[in-house]
Structure formats: C-alpha cells, structure tokens
Amino acid sequence: MFLGPTIKQIRTSKGINQSILADGIMSRSNLSRFEGGKYYPGYDKLILLLDKLELSLEELLFLHNDYAQPVKRTLHLSLVEAANRYEFDKVRAFSYECHSLYRATHTEAYYHLYLLGQGYLIRYQREDEIRHLSEIAGEIKPYLLGVDRWYLYEFKLLNNFLFTLSSGDAIFFGLRAANEFDKYHDFAESRTIQQHLMKNISTICLKEHNYEQSLIFLKKALPLADKTNLLYDKIETLVYYEVTLLCLKHKESPAELLSYLNILRQLEFTDSYDALQQVCQRHLPGVL
C-alpha cells in the first residue's frame, strides 16, 4: 500500500512544503521519494509525519481509499443497518459474504461478522445456518478467554455479542473488560465504547433483577458519559441508575428519575422515553 502520494496530497492541500514536513523526521529527499512511491519509511517515521499533519492513521487510510471505509467496517455497518430495518434477506446475504471472505482470507473478524449476522437472524426468529444463540456464544467465549490482553476490538466484540450471552457470562466478561479498560484510561477514543459496554451490561443485570451487579456497571458507565459529553447516553444511564438505586432501597424518592424521563420527553426522544417508561413500570410498578 503506497501511502506516499496521499501524504503529498494532504501536505500540499495544507500549504506545507517538503522541507517543513520532513524537518526532524527524515531528509527532504527521502520524503520526496516516499511521496513518489519509491521509498517507504519505518512506521515510527510515518506516525511522526501524521502527527505533524494533524492526522490519524485511520483517517489517512480513509482518505487513501477515496473516502471509503475498510471492507470489514462497511460490512459491519451494513449488517447492523439491515437488522435495524428488519431486512432479513440482506442480513443473510451480508452474513454469507462475510463467511466467504473468512474462507478466502482466514481473517477472524470476518468470521465474527458472519456470526453476528446469524445472531441477528436467530434473534428475530429467522434462524439460518446457525439455530441457537448458545452456539454463537460457544464461538465467542473461547475467543475472548483466549486473548491474553484485550484491545478495542475485544471490547467492541463483547458489546456486539452481549445478546448471545447468558447474564452470568455477560457479567463475567464485563468485569474483565472493566479491568482491561484501566490500560485505556488516557485513550479518549475508547471512552464511548467503554460507556456503551458498561451501560449495556447493566441493563442485562437489571432485566435479571440483579440490582447489585447493575449498580457496579452503572457506576463505571456514568463517569465515562461525563468525559465523552454524551448527553443522551448520560441521561439514559442516569435513568437506569435511579431505577437501580430505588430497587435497592438506596433512595426513597423517584423525583430525580422522573426529572430525567421528563428531559427525554422534552428532547422528543419519544421511542427511548416510552421504552424507559416500560423499564420503570416493570421494576417500580406504581411509581409512574
């Protein structure tokens, strides 16, 4: 993959000459050769060039591919979108495409996307090549257990496949994820992933009336929502938090819970407001 011409395009569009970009990183002649596709610098030098251009490697690859997402990312988004729209023929087709790419490339991520597509089909009673969610969990759990150190991919994978796991397994892997997150404390890009994962595991605990465990994950999710300025996510998490506290008898008044629900209603998040009202009625009958 010759990234030099893309670097040149970005450099010139920013009005930076070769001498300025190369200074302190490599010779101007080597930068010229790199931009001409005749030389490839070490990864450390590429990162320094990107830092000077205020660019991430992910954005560079996006630009290099003519503003197109990588194939895995595109397939993932397409799968999720088709499932959200209940377009099950498309879900099945994307799932098969991922399986075909896995057989051709032996890239584990494609197999995981195949399993995700099959999981969506099972979830909506459209079973295909795999018949039970437990079969999918049986593939995902060994993978997560077999990885010595988790990276963002493993956090995303757990979040994507939570619906296939039992509540006990979700809690087990959620606690491990929480420990692994400590290494990513200063990596801002991970906070949204962490927040969603902790919140989603708390809702699994809540459905099981496991309020003590729910509280553990909610206490991890709330500060992350603050750090990422995710207003909707913070309000939704606070609703779950208030429900959990009331169920545990740590609070007597539902005033704050009602105020958060009212904010959602005022912001016209109608579907979320209705869904969270149902959660409240299930756990706190008579409060609303």
mmCIF file of all heavy atoms in Angstrom, residues 198-230:
data_model
loop_
_atom_site.group_PDB
_atom_site.id
_atom_site.type_symbol
_atom_site.label_atom_id
_atom_site.label_comp_id
_atom_site.label_asym_id
_atom_site.label_seq_id
_atom_site.Cartn_x
_atom_site.Cartn_y
_atom_site.Cartn_z
ATOM 1 N N MET A 198 -20.468 -0.812 29.404
ATOM 2 C CA MET A 198 -20.853 -0.851 30.814
ATOM 3 C C MET A 198 -22.366 -0.641 30.981
ATOM 4 O O MET A 198 -23.014 -1.308 31.786
ATOM 5 C CB MET A 198 -20.084 0.207 31.602
ATOM 6 C CG MET A 198 -18.580 -0.004 31.673
ATOM 7 S SD MET A 198 -18.071 -1.522 32.564
ATOM 8 C CE MET A 198 -17.770 -2.660 31.196
ATOM 9 N N LYS A 199 -22.932 0.296 30.227
ATOM 10 C CA LYS A 199 -24.372 0.552 30.304
ATOM 11 C C LYS A 199 -25.163 -0.668 29.834
ATOM 12 O O LYS A 199 -26.151 -1.061 30.470
ATOM 13 C CB LYS A 199 -24.738 1.761 29.455
ATOM 14 C CG LYS A 199 -26.222 2.123 29.470
ATOM 15 C CD LYS A 199 -26.568 3.160 28.407
ATOM 16 C CE LYS A 199 -26.401 2.583 27.026
ATOM 17 N NZ LYS A 199 -26.744 3.537 25.954
ATOM 18 N N ASN A 200 -24.730 -1.269 28.723
ATOM 19 C CA ASN A 200 -25.473 -2.412 28.178
ATOM 20 C C ASN A 200 -25.435 -3.612 29.122
ATOM 21 O O ASN A 200 -26.434 -4.338 29.249
ATOM 22 C CB ASN A 200 -24.914 -2.793 26.802
ATOM 23 C CG ASN A 200 -25.230 -1.751 25.739
ATOM 24 O OD1 ASN A 200 -26.172 -0.964 25.897
ATOM 25 N ND2 ASN A 200 -24.464 -1.729 24.670
ATOM 26 N N ILE A 201 -24.303 -3.837 29.775
ATOM 27 C CA ILE A 201 -24.231 -4.944 30.736
ATOM 28 C C ILE A 201 -25.109 -4.646 31.946
ATOM 29 O O ILE A 201 -25.766 -5.535 32.494
ATOM 30 C CB ILE A 201 -22.781 -5.223 31.161
ATOM 31 C CG1 ILE A 201 -21.968 -5.691 29.951
ATOM 32 C CG2 ILE A 201 -22.725 -6.281 32.259
ATOM 33 C CD1 ILE A 201 -20.495 -5.879 30.213
ATOM 34 N N SER A 202 -25.170 -3.383 32.344
ATOM 35 C CA SER A 202 -26.035 -3.024 33.481
ATOM 36 C C SER A 202 -27.497 -3.310 33.166
ATOM 37 O O SER A 202 -28.260 -3.725 34.043
ATOM 38 C CB SER A 202 -25.859 -1.547 33.848
ATOM 39 O OG SER A 202 -26.519 -0.689 32.937
ATOM 40 N N THR A 203 -27.909 -3.115 31.910
ATOM 41 C CA THR A 203 -29.315 -3.381 31.551
ATOM 42 C C THR A 203 -29.614 -4.881 31.573
ATOM 43 O O THR A 203 -30.728 -5.288 31.911
ATOM 44 C CB THR A 203 -29.657 -2.806 30.163
ATOM 45 O OG1 THR A 203 -28.858 -3.420 29.156
ATOM 46 C CG2 THR A 203 -29.432 -1.302 30.123
ATOM 47 N N ILE A 204 -28.600 -5.693 31.238
ATOM 48 C CA ILE A 204 -28.771 -7.148 31.337
ATOM 49 C C ILE A 204 -28.985 -7.536 32.796
ATOM 50 O O ILE A 204 -29.876 -8.334 33.123
ATOM 51 C CB ILE A 204 -27.549 -7.877 30.740
ATOM 52 C CG1 ILE A 204 -27.505 -7.681 29.221
ATOM 53 C CG2 ILE A 204 -27.577 -9.364 31.087
ATOM 54 C CD1 ILE A 204 -26.247 -8.243 28.566
ATOM 55 N N CYS A 205 -28.180 -6.966 33.679
ATOM 56 C CA CYS A 205 -28.331 -7.235 35.118
ATOM 57 C C CYS A 205 -29.701 -6.770 35.612
ATOM 58 O O CYS A 205 -30.351 -7.449 36.414
ATOM 59 C CB CYS A 205 -27.235 -6.523 35.905
ATOM 60 S SG CYS A 205 -25.558 -7.064 35.516
ATOM 61 N N LEU A 206 -30.132 -5.627 35.112
ATOM 62 C CA LEU A 206 -31.415 -5.071 35.533
ATOM 63 C C LEU A 206 -32.564 -5.988 35.126
ATOM 64 O O LEU A 206 -33.500 -6.224 35.905
ATOM 65 C CB LEU A 206 -31.589 -3.684 34.912
ATOM 66 C CG LEU A 206 -32.582 -2.722 35.572
ATOM 67 C CD1 LEU A 206 -32.224 -2.498 37.031
ATOM 68 C CD2 LEU A 206 -32.607 -1.399 34.818
ATOM 69 N N LYS A 207 -32.487 -6.533 33.922
ATOM 70 C CA LYS A 207 -33.541 -7.447 33.455
ATOM 71 C C LYS A 207 -33.626 -8.688 34.334
ATOM 72 O O LYS A 207 -34.701 -9.266 34.497
ATOM 73 C CB LYS A 207 -33.270 -7.859 31.999
ATOM 74 C CG LYS A 207 -33.561 -6.764 30.996
ATOM 75 C CD LYS A 207 -33.220 -7.216 29.580
ATOM 76 C CE LYS A 207 -33.429 -6.100 28.583
ATOM 77 N NZ LYS A 207 -33.020 -6.487 27.203
ATOM 78 N N GLU A 208 -32.493 -9.073 34.900
ATOM 79 C CA GLU A 208 -32.453 -10.244 35.769
ATOM 80 C C GLU A 208 -32.746 -9.875 37.229
ATOM 81 O O GLU A 208 -32.615 -10.717 38.112
ATOM 82 C CB GLU A 208 -31.069 -10.909 35.682
ATOM 83 C CG GLU A 208 -30.688 -11.418 34.300
ATOM 84 C CD GLU A 208 -31.417 -12.687 33.940
ATOM 85 O OE1 GLU A 208 -31.699 -13.493 34.850
ATOM 86 O OE2 GLU A 208 -31.721 -12.860 32.740
ATOM 87 N N HIS A 209 -33.080 -8.602 37.466
ATOM 88 C CA HIS A 209 -33.309 -8.089 38.827
ATOM 89 C C HIS A 209 -32.061 -8.239 39.706
ATOM 90 O O HIS A 209 -32.162 -8.344 40.926
ATOM 91 C CB HIS A 209 -34.511 -8.779 39.483
ATOM 92 C CG HIS A 209 -35.788 -8.561 38.715
ATOM 93 N ND1 HIS A 209 -36.598 -7.465 38.928
ATOM 94 C CD2 HIS A 209 -36.378 -9.278 37.729
ATOM 95 C CE1 HIS A 209 -37.642 -7.533 38.111
ATOM 96 N NE2 HIS A 209 -37.523 -8.614 37.364
ATOM 97 N N ASN A 210 -30.919 -8.240 39.039
ATOM 98 C CA ASN A 210 -29.644 -8.320 39.751
ATOM 99 C C ASN A 210 -29.156 -6.885 39.967
ATOM 100 O O ASN A 210 -28.243 -6.391 39.296
ATOM 101 C CB ASN A 210 -28.636 -9.125 38.928
ATOM 102 C CG ASN A 210 -27.378 -9.462 39.708
ATOM 103 O OD1 ASN A 210 -27.101 -8.849 40.739
ATOM 104 N ND2 ASN A 210 -26.619 -10.425 39.230
ATOM 105 N N TYR A 211 -29.759 -6.209 40.920
ATOM 106 C CA TYR A 211 -29.549 -4.775 41.086
ATOM 107 C C TYR A 211 -28.157 -4.441 41.615
ATOM 108 O O TYR A 211 -27.582 -3.402 41.259
ATOM 109 C CB TYR A 211 -30.628 -4.194 42.011
ATOM 110 C CG TYR A 211 -32.034 -4.446 41.503
ATOM 111 C CD1 TYR A 211 -32.961 -5.173 42.251
ATOM 112 C CD2 TYR A 211 -32.437 -3.956 40.263
ATOM 113 C CE1 TYR A 211 -34.248 -5.412 41.783
ATOM 114 C CE2 TYR A 211 -33.723 -4.185 39.781
ATOM 115 C CZ TYR A 211 -34.619 -4.911 40.547
ATOM 116 O OH TYR A 211 -35.881 -5.137 40.073
ATOM 117 N N GLU A 212 -27.598 -5.301 42.442
ATOM 118 C CA GLU A 212 -26.261 -5.044 42.972
ATOM 119 C C GLU A 212 -25.227 -4.998 41.843
ATOM 120 O O GLU A 212 -24.387 -4.095 41.791
ATOM 121 C CB GLU A 212 -25.871 -6.116 44.001
ATOM 122 C CG GLU A 212 -26.726 -6.122 45.266
ATOM 123 C CD GLU A 212 -26.397 -4.957 46.195
ATOM 124 O OE1 GLU A 212 -25.461 -4.191 45.882
ATOM 125 O OE2 GLU A 212 -27.080 -4.819 47.229
ATOM 126 N N GLN A 213 -25.295 -5.988 40.939
ATOM 127 C CA GLN A 213 -24.365 -6.009 39.811
ATOM 128 C C GLN A 213 -24.649 -4.848 38.856
ATOM 129 O O GLN A 213 -23.732 -4.233 38.305
ATOM 130 C CB GLN A 213 -24.456 -7.343 39.059
ATOM 131 C CG GLN A 213 -23.871 -8.524 39.804
ATOM 132 C CD GLN A 213 -22.353 -8.498 39.828
ATOM 133 O OE1 GLN A 213 -21.710 -7.674 39.206
ATOM 134 N NE2 GLN A 213 -21.768 -9.427 40.582
ATOM 135 N N SER A 214 -25.928 -4.554 38.657
ATOM 136 C CA SER A 214 -26.288 -3.426 37.794
ATOM 137 C C SER A 214 -25.639 -2.149 38.293
ATOM 138 O O SER A 214 -25.090 -1.354 37.509
ATOM 139 C CB SER A 214 -27.813 -3.266 37.755
ATOM 140 O OG SER A 214 -28.175 -2.142 36.989
ATOM 141 N N LEU A 215 -25.659 -1.948 39.589
ATOM 142 C CA LEU A 215 -25.090 -0.736 40.185
ATOM 143 C C LEU A 215 -23.584 -0.659 39.939
ATOM 144 O O LEU A 215 -23.038 0.428 39.669
ATOM 145 C CB LEU A 215 -25.381 -0.709 41.685
ATOM 146 C CG LEU A 215 -25.016 0.575 42.439
ATOM 147 C CD1 LEU A 215 -25.777 1.764 41.878
ATOM 148 C CD2 LEU A 215 -25.303 0.413 43.929
ATOM 149 N N ILE A 216 -22.902 -1.790 40.001
ATOM 150 C CA ILE A 216 -21.455 -1.819 39.761
ATOM 151 C C ILE A 216 -21.123 -1.279 38.373
ATOM 152 O O ILE A 216 -20.239 -0.428 38.206
ATOM 153 C CB ILE A 216 -20.909 -3.257 39.920
ATOM 154 C CG1 ILE A 216 -20.931 -3.670 41.394
ATOM 155 C CG2 ILE A 216 -19.494 -3.374 39.352
ATOM 156 C CD1 ILE A 216 -20.595 -5.126 41.633
ATOM 157 N N PHE A 217 -21.852 -1.751 37.365
ATOM 158 C CA PHE A 217 -21.561 -1.335 35.992
ATOM 159 C C PHE A 217 -22.030 0.090 35.713
ATOM 160 O O PHE A 217 -21.380 0.824 34.960
ATOM 161 C CB PHE A 217 -22.181 -2.329 35.007
ATOM 162 C CG PHE A 217 -21.506 -3.676 35.012
ATOM 163 C CD1 PHE A 217 -22.126 -4.778 35.574
ATOM 164 C CD2 PHE A 217 -20.237 -3.825 34.492
ATOM 165 C CE1 PHE A 217 -21.492 -6.018 35.601
ATOM 166 C CE2 PHE A 217 -19.589 -5.058 34.510
ATOM 167 C CZ PHE A 217 -20.221 -6.158 35.072
ATOM 168 N N LEU A 218 -23.140 0.491 36.315
ATOM 169 C CA LEU A 218 -23.624 1.855 36.123
ATOM 170 C C LEU A 218 -22.653 2.877 36.723
ATOM 171 O O LEU A 218 -22.461 3.965 36.174
ATOM 172 C CB LEU A 218 -25.010 2.021 36.744
ATOM 173 C CG LEU A 218 -26.143 1.341 35.962
ATOM 174 C CD1 LEU A 218 -27.402 1.265 36.810
ATOM 175 C CD2 LEU A 218 -26.412 2.083 34.665
ATOM 176 N N LYS A 219 -22.038 2.524 37.857
ATOM 177 C CA LYS A 219 -21.066 3.430 38.470
ATOM 178 C C LYS A 219 -19.823 3.601 37.591
ATOM 179 O O LYS A 219 -19.114 4.601 37.696
ATOM 180 C CB LYS A 219 -20.663 2.919 39.848
ATOM 181 C CG LYS A 219 -21.726 3.164 40.917
ATOM 182 C CD LYS A 219 -21.263 2.685 42.283
ATOM 183 C CE LYS A 219 -22.268 3.056 43.369
ATOM 184 N NZ LYS A 219 -21.851 2.573 44.708
ATOM 185 N N LYS A 220 -19.565 2.627 36.731
ATOM 186 C CA LYS A 220 -18.460 2.751 35.787
ATOM 187 C C LYS A 220 -18.893 3.510 34.533
ATOM 188 O O LYS A 220 -18.089 4.207 33.902
ATOM 189 C CB LYS A 220 -17.931 1.362 35.401
ATOM 190 C CG LYS A 220 -17.324 0.587 36.567
ATOM 191 C CD LYS A 220 -16.839 -0.774 36.136
ATOM 192 C CE LYS A 220 -16.295 -1.572 37.324
ATOM 193 N NZ LYS A 220 -15.121 -0.925 37.951
ATOM 194 N N ALA A 221 -20.169 3.371 34.157
ATOM 195 C CA ALA A 221 -20.666 3.999 32.935
ATOM 196 C C ALA A 221 -20.868 5.500 33.081
ATOM 197 O O ALA A 221 -20.594 6.264 32.151
ATOM 198 C CB ALA A 221 -21.982 3.337 32.515
ATOM 199 N N LEU A 222 -21.345 5.937 34.239
ATOM 200 C CA LEU A 222 -21.685 7.352 34.410
ATOM 201 C C LEU A 222 -20.493 8.302 34.234
ATOM 202 O O LEU A 222 -20.604 9.294 33.504
ATOM 203 C CB LEU A 222 -22.346 7.571 35.774
ATOM 204 C CG LEU A 222 -23.837 7.212 35.835
ATOM 205 C CD1 LEU A 222 -24.337 7.259 37.273
ATOM 206 C CD2 LEU A 222 -24.644 8.168 34.967
ATOM 207 N N PRO A 223 -19.353 8.061 34.872
ATOM 208 C CA PRO A 223 -18.218 8.981 34.665
ATOM 209 C C PRO A 223 -17.754 9.019 33.214
ATOM 210 O O PRO A 223 -17.290 10.049 32.736
ATOM 211 C CB PRO A 223 -17.119 8.405 35.574
ATOM 212 C CG PRO A 223 -17.827 7.538 36.558
ATOM 213 C CD PRO A 223 -19.019 6.998 35.839
ATOM 214 N N LEU A 224 -17.879 7.896 32.512
ATOM 215 C CA LEU A 224 -17.475 7.844 31.108
ATOM 216 C C LEU A 224 -18.394 8.701 30.247
ATOM 217 O O LEU A 224 -17.957 9.328 29.286
ATOM 218 C CB LEU A 224 -17.483 6.396 30.609
ATOM 219 C CG LEU A 224 -16.396 5.508 31.216
ATOM 220 C CD1 LEU A 224 -16.713 4.037 30.976
ATOM 221 C CD2 LEU A 224 -15.033 5.856 30.640
ATOM 222 N N ALA A 225 -19.687 8.733 30.573
ATOM 223 C CA ALA A 225 -20.623 9.589 29.847
ATOM 224 C C ALA A 225 -20.272 11.058 30.057
ATOM 225 O O ALA A 225 -20.393 11.878 29.143
ATOM 226 C CB ALA A 225 -22.057 9.313 30.297
ATOM 227 N N ASP A 226 -19.815 11.400 31.267
ATOM 228 C CA ASP A 226 -19.376 12.773 31.540
ATOM 229 C C ASP A 226 -18.173 13.145 30.682
ATOM 230 O O ASP A 226 -18.116 14.223 30.096
ATOM 231 C CB ASP A 226 -18.990 12.930 33.011
ATOM 232 C CG ASP A 226 -20.217 13.075 33.911
ATOM 233 O OD1 ASP A 226 -21.251 13.544 33.425
ATOM 234 O OD2 ASP A 226 -20.132 12.692 35.092
ATOM 235 N N LYS A 227 -17.208 12.226 30.600
ATOM 236 C CA LYS A 227 -15.973 12.520 29.888
ATOM 237 C C LYS A 227 -16.180 12.647 28.389
ATOM 238 O O LYS A 227 -15.435 13.340 27.705
ATOM 239 C CB LYS A 227 -14.936 11.423 30.176
ATOM 240 C CG LYS A 227 -14.386 11.462 31.593
ATOM 241 C CD LYS A 227 -13.368 10.358 31.814
ATOM 242 C CE LYS A 227 -12.819 10.400 33.235
ATOM 243 N NZ LYS A 227 -11.850 9.306 33.494
ATOM 244 N N THR A 228 -17.178 11.960 27.857
ATOM 245 C CA THR A 228 -17.404 11.981 26.408
ATOM 246 C C THR A 228 -18.491 12.961 26.000
ATOM 247 O O THR A 228 -18.807 13.093 24.825
ATOM 248 C CB THR A 228 -17.789 10.574 25.903
ATOM 249 O OG1 THR A 228 -18.856 10.062 26.713
ATOM 250 C CG2 THR A 228 -16.612 9.626 25.979
ATOM 251 N N ASN A 229 -19.081 13.660 26.981
ATOM 252 C CA ASN A 229 -20.148 14.621 26.698
ATOM 253 C C ASN A 229 -21.295 14.003 25.897
ATOM 254 O O ASN A 229 -21.848 14.614 24.993
ATOM 255 C CB ASN A 229 -19.592 15.842 25.950
ATOM 256 C CG ASN A 229 -18.611 16.632 26.791
ATOM 257 O OD1 ASN A 229 -18.868 16.903 27.964
ATOM 258 N ND2 ASN A 229 -17.477 16.987 26.213
ATOM 259 N N LEU A 230 -21.637 12.760 26.230
ATOM 260 C CA LEU A 230 -22.736 12.072 25.554
ATOM 261 C C LEU A 230 -24.026 12.349 26.324
ATOM 262 O O LEU A 230 -24.373 11.630 27.246
ATOM 263 C CB LEU A 230 -22.450 10.566 25.498
ATOM 264 C CG LEU A 230 -21.187 10.142 24.737
ATOM 265 C CD1 LEU A 230 -20.875 8.680 24.979
ATOM 266 C CD2 LEU A 230 -21.356 10.396 23.247
#
